Amino acid sequence: MEAFHAKVQHGPGCWVWVGSLTGGGRSQDQYGHLSVAGRVVRAHRFSWEQAYGPIPKGAMVCHRCDNRLCVRPTHLFLGTSAENTADMRAKGRDSFGKNQGERHGRAKLTDEIVKEVRRRHLAGESERILSREFGISRSWLGYIVRREAWTHI
């Protein structure tokens, strides 16, 4: 535990992990990690287990403080994936709805074009023709017409 706490910046709020981080990606998507008995474990999960015992199978260690680098046991709680997602949405931390459809920086289509694609597909036009005309793959067009993409329309 002494080696663990040597890699933690203890503050009055969060205890921030300053050791190794998970590789790649954006810094806000990274978690602290350490090696325990030759196994790499996430620092917040290790902290939970030291404070409260084993993590039940299928449970996630979630952050009340929303700081992925926080390892303070009182800032952590157990939950399912669905509970963690509900917590994120309740706190307004998700991007759901904020960058959907034409507001997404890489969108090729507009809301109106998606409506037209769906209308024409319902009228019997083939996915092959529509995907060529609108410059999107057939698989992506399939997601759109099945309402698995652009679900806000």
Side-chain angles (χ1 to χ4, degrees):
M1 280 304 286
E2 194 173 310
F4 172 81
H5 283 284
K7 295 180 180 181
V8 176
Q9 183 179 39
H10 295 83
C14 292
W15 292 356
V16 179
W17 180 256
V18 293
S20 298
L21 301 178
T22 53
R26 303 174 310 176
S27 61
Q28 66 263 33
D29 294 335
Q30 295 182 326
Y31 287 91
H33 70 93
L34 66 152
S35 179
V36 177
R39 219 176 97 233
V40 175
V41 296
R42 289 193 171 174
H44 68 291
R45 292 177 63 86
F46 177 82
S47 180
W48 171 273
E49 288 184 324
Q50 296 308 303
Y52 305 115
I55 300 165
K57 186 174 177 85
M60 299 178 74
V61 178
C62 310
H63 292 86
R64 283 187 177 87
C65 58
D66 301 328
N67 179 352
R68 291 174 190 240
L69 299 181
C70 181
V71 296
R72 188 173 194 153
T74 57
H75 287 202
L76 305 173
F77 67 98
L78 290 180
T80 63
S81 179
E83 290 166 336
N84 195 33
T85 299
D87 177 64
M88 173 189 65
R89 289 195 172 143
K91 294 175 180 173
R93 289 187 298 105
D94 66 328
S95 61
F96 188 76
K98 295 177 185 169
N99 293 315
Q100 284 186 316
E102 62 191 31
R103 290 186 307 268
H104 191 281
R106 293 174 49 196
K108 288 184 175 183
L109 307 175
T110 65
D111 292 354
E112 290 308 311
I113 290 174
V114 168
K115 290 175 188 175
E116 181 180 346
V117 165
R118 288 178 177 157
R119 182 187 54 75
R120 288 172 55 182
H121 184 265
L122 278 173
E125 287 192 54
S126 77
E127 290 183 8
R128 183 177 53 80
I129 291 170
L130 291 169
S131 67
R132 278 191 192 156
E133 181 177 337
F134 293 103
I136 57 175
S137 69
R138 284 179 68 186
S139 60
W140 189 247
L141 189 122
Y143 294 137
I144 291 170
V145 297
R146 290 189 307 272
R147 298 182 186 280
E148 294 171 12
W150 293 73
T151 57
H152 64 288
I153 297 177

